[in-house]
Amino acid sequence: MNGPRWMIWTALLAISLGAAPPGSGKDAVSRITLKEVLSIGALDDETLFQWTGVAVDPDGFIYVLDAMDYTLKKFDLRGALVKKTGRRGQGPGEFMIPRLLDASPNFLFATDQNVAGVYVFDRELNFKKKIPCPTLIAHLKALGDDQVAVAVMSFQEPGRILVLNGEGKVLSEIAYFDKDAGVLMDSISFIPDAEGRFYLAYLFQDRIEKWSPDGKRLWSRNLLGGKKAETKKISSFTLPGETCFKDIALDGRGHVFVLGGHLSKAPSRTVFVLNTEGELLTTFTLPDTSHCLYFDRDHSLYARANDGITLKKYRILYE
Amino acid sequence: MNRNEEVLRTVSASRAADRLSRRRARLFILVRAAALTVVSLGLLSRLSSAAPPNKDRPETAAGTDRSCCWVLMDIESFYCAPCLEPLLALCRALPARVQEERVRGILVYEAAAGKERSELRSRIVLKKWQGFRKAHDIRFPAVADTGPFFRGFLKDGIVILLVHEARSVLASYTLPLKSGQLEEIVETLLDRAEGSMRPKSCSSAACRRPCIRRPPPPISFYAERPISRCDIFRRGGGADRTAWPCADPARPCPVPG
């Protein structure tokens, strides 16, 4: 009789102290600091000119898309250039505006801004194929060697997240935006977790959301006090002129990292750290402005510096 | 001295002080204007030195019968395909020597607060240009500038100024170009060059000159396509031009002539 009571009291105490199962993201992180461990590209070398996308393979090799010289570059663990491929064009392995990049265990997935499809390369940077996509791609994440998730947008219908197989067949779909709130207002960055749930950061709205794999919104949060992005009129379109958020990433320890945009305290530098329930744990500031956040398997954070000429790798120190 | 005289003296003294401060202000404005003029002239001479006299060509007495081309660019406009394609077409159409001697790029950028940050920004812009120039084998060099002179011309995207050697602007073109404007710019630059600069014939298989006879992409390529979200952000494109192999205007002409 005493045994179960003791267990109940212990459980209640644990709940009241905020303990939670590992991976739920409810650990008490109060402060985050960054320690720079690697820097690729400098003002006086010819390594990077304007990197746009970054990905890291399971062996730690770093891949970067460079929009200024239209290449995909591979760096070793120390940041030395191993190989590069690509040039301007529309043929296999060529880019017009290289933009998004992600890696699965054996392949790299890249997008060209104005191409409705995903280019697949192997880890030696050999072009393998193009996965067709119904429309232009706003965001991309690899789910495996033969599966990618893409955010697609068009004028005709609101934004959706599609899970595609290697042939471009739509395996599942999340219609995260159900009403017409204006052009581009459905623009998102997203990150899937290991269970297939999606975390969304709206680029032009103060909204962070979590969605289940079957397309149900689990929660929605504001981080900027409901601030609204200013709009401006271009031709006949009313368009947002400022970003609320720029990117979203998961550190593998149950923390959601959201990079603030123009409306955050330090534009393009403030990072909001949430748990998996969307509660704000802390914020920190990147040393330089960035357009994206990327975590590798070792939980190291990659971000931009020098306006895209430098890629920085940081170790995160949790307190 | 009565009270009125005292007041009058005070007033006249204060008027004199006002006059003095106005003179000082005028002097300051004059000095500033002179300094700005010196800086502008320095920049102009730096740019015109961009087009040094050709030693192979007999100069006229005045030495002012040549025109050169200033390409005003915002780095962001490199993501705008409709702006970029005509610039690349111009580079393909001009022989390397003409580009080196007659064309100069001016990378117009927003100055950052503080001298150090502004210098850093300038180095970043030039570094990006370095990568872009290498990727496209562009031969003309460029300088970075934040001043209002060029910003006045560059409202959007890329602007090409045809400038006479005597420093007068002959024509200004905002990219994307209208029909015939590319040919106009090329012809102006080539017509003023000596005969050897102009590609006469590409019939020889040994011809290594850029293929001037290849027509530029039709204007519809730049303008008459459906508008897309990307256009709105000046990122260009729109249509999914993914047919492989494609006639990419960025590629060098595979067959001479």
Side-chain angles (χ1 to χ4, degrees), chain A residues 154-170:
Chain A
S154 69
F155 277 123
Q156 288 76 33
E157 48 189 336
R160 293 166 294 155
I161 295 174
L162 305 178
V163 175
L164 307 174
N165 70 7
E167 281 69 52
K169 187 182 170 194
V170 179

Side-chain angles (χ1 to χ4, degrees), chain A residues 169-245:
Chain A
K169 187 182 170 194
V170 179
L171 303 176
S172 63
E173 177 177 336
I174 295 177
Y176 61 86
F177 208 72
D178 51 5
K179 60 179 178 182
D180 188 10
V183 180
L184 294 174
M185 296 307 281
D186 50 350
S187 305
I188 57 158
S189 169
F190 71 85
I191 184 84
D193 68 9
E195 284 77 40
R197 293 175 292 240
F198 287 88
Y199 295 87
L200 277 59
Y202 285 73
L203 305 194
F204 304 112
Q205 292 186 64
D206 180 13
R207 272 167 81 179
I208 306 296
E209 292 180 344
K210 183 177 179 179
W211 287 72
S212 67
D214 55 351
K216 287 186 183 126
R217 187 189 289 118
L218 300 173
W219 51 254
S220 181
R221 303 278 184 270
N222 307 126
L223 297 177
L224 303 170
K227 275 186 198 170
K228 288 194 174 173
E230 274 184 20
T231 55
K232 55 184 173 184
K233 202 146 174 97
I234 298 177
S235 300
S236 57
F237 299 100
T238 302
L239 301 164
E242 300 170 310
T243 49
C244 292
F245 303 110

Side-chain angles (χ1 to χ4, degrees), chain A residues 241-258:
Chain A
E242 300 170 310
T243 49
C244 292
F245 303 110
K246 288 200 158 179
D247 202 7
I248 189 165
L250 286 170
D251 68 351
R253 296 185 184 195
H255 302 114
V256 185
F257 285 63
V258 183

Side-chain angles (χ1 to χ4, degrees), chain A residues 42-50 67-70 87-92 94 96-97 113-116 119 127 130 136 153-155 183-184 186 204 234 237 239-240 306-307 309, chain B residues 75 78-81 84-85 88 120-121 123-125 127-132 134-136 227-230 232-233 235-244 246-248 250-252:
Chain A
L43 286 163
D44 50 3
D45 65 16
E46 296 203 341
T47 313
L48 293 174
F49 299 105
Q50 174 71 74
M68 214 43 86
D69 64 358
Y70 311 93
R87 62 174 187 169
R88 189 170 192 271
Q90 293 168 299
E94 297 176 342
M96 293 297 276
I97 305 176
Q113 176 132 333
N114 299 322
V115 173
Y119 296 153
F127 177 82
K130 178 190 168 196
L136 295 178
M153 299 187 307
S154 69
F155 277 123
V183 180
L184 294 174
D186 50 350
F204 304 112
I234 298 177
F237 299 100
L239 301 164
N306 285 331
D307 205 15
I309 281 172
Chain B
I75 283 279
F78 294 164
Y79 304 121
C80 164
L84 190 55
E85 293 299 346
L88 299 178
L120 175 68
R121 182 89 190 108
R123 289 183 68 192
I124 287 170
V125 167
K127 167 86 189 280
K128 289 182 182 184
W129 165 252
Q130 188 191 338
F132 180 80
K134 200 173 166 185
H136 293 287
I227 190 164
S228 76
R229 287 165 193 267
C230 303
I232 294 161
F233 280 118
R235 289 178 190 280
D240 181 13
R241 301 186 296 271
T242 52
W244 294 340
C246 67
D248 178 10
R251 287 180 183 163

Side-chain angles (χ1 to χ4, degrees), chain A residues 6 31 46 60 101 112 124 135 161 213-214 219 222 258 295:
Chain A
W6 180 83
R31 190 160 173 257
E46 296 203 341
L101 185 67
D112 202 341
E124 293 309 309
T135 180
I161 295 174
D214 55 351
W219 51 254
N222 307 126
V258 183
F295 280 99

